[in-house]
Structure formats: structure tokens, C-alpha cells
Amino acid sequence: MKKKTVVIIAIVCLAIILASTAVTMYVVMNRKKSNTATNDEAAPTVASTAAASQNTTAGESTASSTDPSVGEEVADITEAPATQAPAALTAPDEMSAILAQGGTSLQQLSDIGCTQLVTVSSSGSSAEIRFFSCEDHTWTSDDTLTCSGFVGRNGVTSDMHEGGNASPFGLYHIGDAFYIYDQPATGLSSFQVTSDTYWVDDPDSSHYNQHMEGTAEKDWNSAEHMIDIDGYRYGFVIDYNTAAAYAKGSAIFFHISSGPTAGCVGTSESSVLAYLAKLNASANPFILIV
């Protein structure tokens, strides 16, 4: 009886132990499955994040190389600012009309650095003379210098020749001022006319259309003895035919005159002095005769 009881107890204990072991193993196995499931679920999230990160980077890179707006933003940051377009040149209507008549433009004046312009608008042998100056790309008229004047007896021509009594059509640089008596106020370089001052008008001379002092190098048969011409009391040289093309005209000046000239531009003494006072070599002045 005792042996049976012991056996039964032993069997019961063994059963309890087996059951307990089975329960423990079940719990452990369930925990492993739970952890595995959790890890398996988490893994795609990490992978997806990495992929998303790669896709975002690739997308940004693609946008930077293909999206014009992105490229412009980068250019704004990394490139030097574009050079501003030059300011537009402006001028009074009357100046624009004279320029058009003379085949000249504001841009051409700008290109040669001219910031002072004398205009001579002819009608036969008479003319209207005006003065314009430029500052900050804007041309303005000095109406106090507007005056009447004269050109050659035969008007203005594009076909100049020596002794033609016509003034040259076109745009010319303003050269030196000259005077016989008192030196005038002017911003131009100047020379005094003396008994030794000549301007050669002989086309066969090596000094044709040149200012000469004295006769030591004389090889001409004809020249203006400038001190003998009363209108040369004050004036300035118009740089016409500076290359001394044969017989194309010489001694073209802006000077004092009360009537038509032999080819120069003439006006009153007060107007000549006013122009001399206004003109300045640093402004690279030109005269346009039309």
C-alpha cells in the first residue's frame, strides 16, 4: 500500500514537473515568436526610411540638375551679378532732328566721347547755331548760346573743293582756339595770331591745310596771312580735312562774320566769345554742319 502511494505521488510529481516544463517552454516559444514578429515588422520600416532618404536625395539631385527654378536659385547665390545695361541716351527733339539730318546718332557721339556739340543748321548761306552738352547720358540745350550765323556763300556741301566757297557737310572735331589781340576765356588750347601766322591753302604744298608760323619752311604759293583777316580776331579751328586730301578744302574756321563766308562758319563777336568760353577740350567737343 505504501509502495503504491509512493508510486502515485511520484507519478503526480513527474506529471506536475512535465506540465510545468511544457508551460515554460510554451511561454518561451511565444516570447521568441513575439520578438521575431516585432523585429520583422520593424525591419521594413528602417529599410523604407533608408530608401525614402535615398529617394529624397536622388530627387533633390535630379531637381537641381533639371528644374530651371532650382538652377536659377543656385545661380543667384553662386554667380556674380549680371552687369547692368548702360543707361539710355536722351536728347532734346531739336537735337535729335539735327543729328538725323547729319546722319549721326547719339550712340556715335557717345562712342567717340563727345559731350559738347555745336550744331550749324544751314539754309542757303544763313544758319542757326546751337549748343548742346551731355551729362549722365542726358543731352541738354543751352538756349542762351543759340544764335544766327552764316556758312559759305554757296551753302553747305558734301563735295568740297578748294575755292568752292561752300562749308563742309558733316561732323568734325573742334580744334584750337585762336585770337589776334587779348586772349579770350576758353577751355580750348589756343594760339595767338601774329604777323608770322599762316594757314596754307596751296594743295601742292607739303604743308597744305596746316597752321604755320613763319616762312622758314615755305613751299607754298598761297596761304592765308591770318592777321590780315579782321574776322580772325577770335575763333576756333574746325578740324576738317586733317589728312590734307588734295584740293579738298582748307582753313575751315568758326570765326567772327557779319555775312556769308568763303567756307567757314561765322557769327557775331559776342557769340564767338560766348562759345569759346563754353567749350572745353576735356569734353571732346565736335561741330555738326548740316
Side-chain angles (χ1 to χ4, degrees), residues 11 57 72 100 204 266:
I11 290 170
T57 303
E72 289 172 4
D204 293 316

Side-chain angles (χ1 to χ4, degrees), residues 126-171:
S126 297
E128 180 182 61
I129 304 170
R130 299 183 64 94
F131 181 86
F132 300 92
S133 61
C134 183
E135 185 175 354
D136 295 331
H137 307 285
T138 300
W139 284 90
T140 56
S141 172
D142 186 341
D143 294 335
T144 65
L145 291 178
T146 300
C147 62
S148 60
F150 304 93
V151 291
R153 295 182 188 90
N154 292 326
V156 171
T157 182
S158 297
D159 184 24
M160 286 284 290
H161 59 275
E162 195 66 42
N165 289 318
S167 299
F169 176 95
L171 180 70

Side-chain angles (χ1 to χ4, degrees), residues 183-238:
Q183 184 172 3
T186 184
L188 300 175
S189 298
S190 61
F191 64 89
Q192 184 171 16
V193 173
T194 70
S195 58
D196 287 328
T197 305
Y198 297 85
W199 202 283
V200 180
D201 56 16
D202 179 359
D204 293 316
S205 169
S206 63
H207 303 293
Y208 178 53
N209 196 28
Q210 290 183 29
H211 163 210
M212 299 295 294
E213 290 293 330
T215 57
E217 299 179 39
K218 182 178 179 182
D219 65 351
W220 57 82
N221 294 315
S222 176
E224 289 190 0
H225 191 212
M226 294 183 68
I227 201 167
D228 293 337
I229 302 173
D230 186 60
Y232 290 174
R233 294 194 307 275
Y234 299 106
F236 62 75
V237 178
I238 297 173

Side-chain angles (χ1 to χ4, degrees), residues 89-144:
L89 295 163
T90 60
D93 291 342
E94 61 269 25
M95 178 180 174
S96 297
I98 297 169
L99 289 178
Q101 190 177 354
T104 303
S105 70
L106 292 176
Q107 188 58 54
Q108 287 173 320
L109 295 179
S110 177
D111 290 344
I112 60 177
C114 170
T115 57
Q116 286 186 336
L117 180 69
V118 178
T119 63
V120 181
S121 301
S122 67
S123 176
S125 60
S126 297
E128 180 182 61
I129 304 170
R130 299 183 64 94
F131 181 86
F132 300 92
S133 61
C134 183
E135 185 175 354
D136 295 331
H137 307 285
T138 300
W139 284 90
T140 56
S141 172
D142 186 341
D143 294 335
T144 65

Side-chain angles (χ1 to χ4, degrees), residues 72-93:
E72 289 172 4
E73 290 176 0
V74 173
D76 288 342
I77 296 172
T78 60
E79 294 179 2
T83 303
Q84 290 184 347
L89 295 163
T90 60
D93 291 342

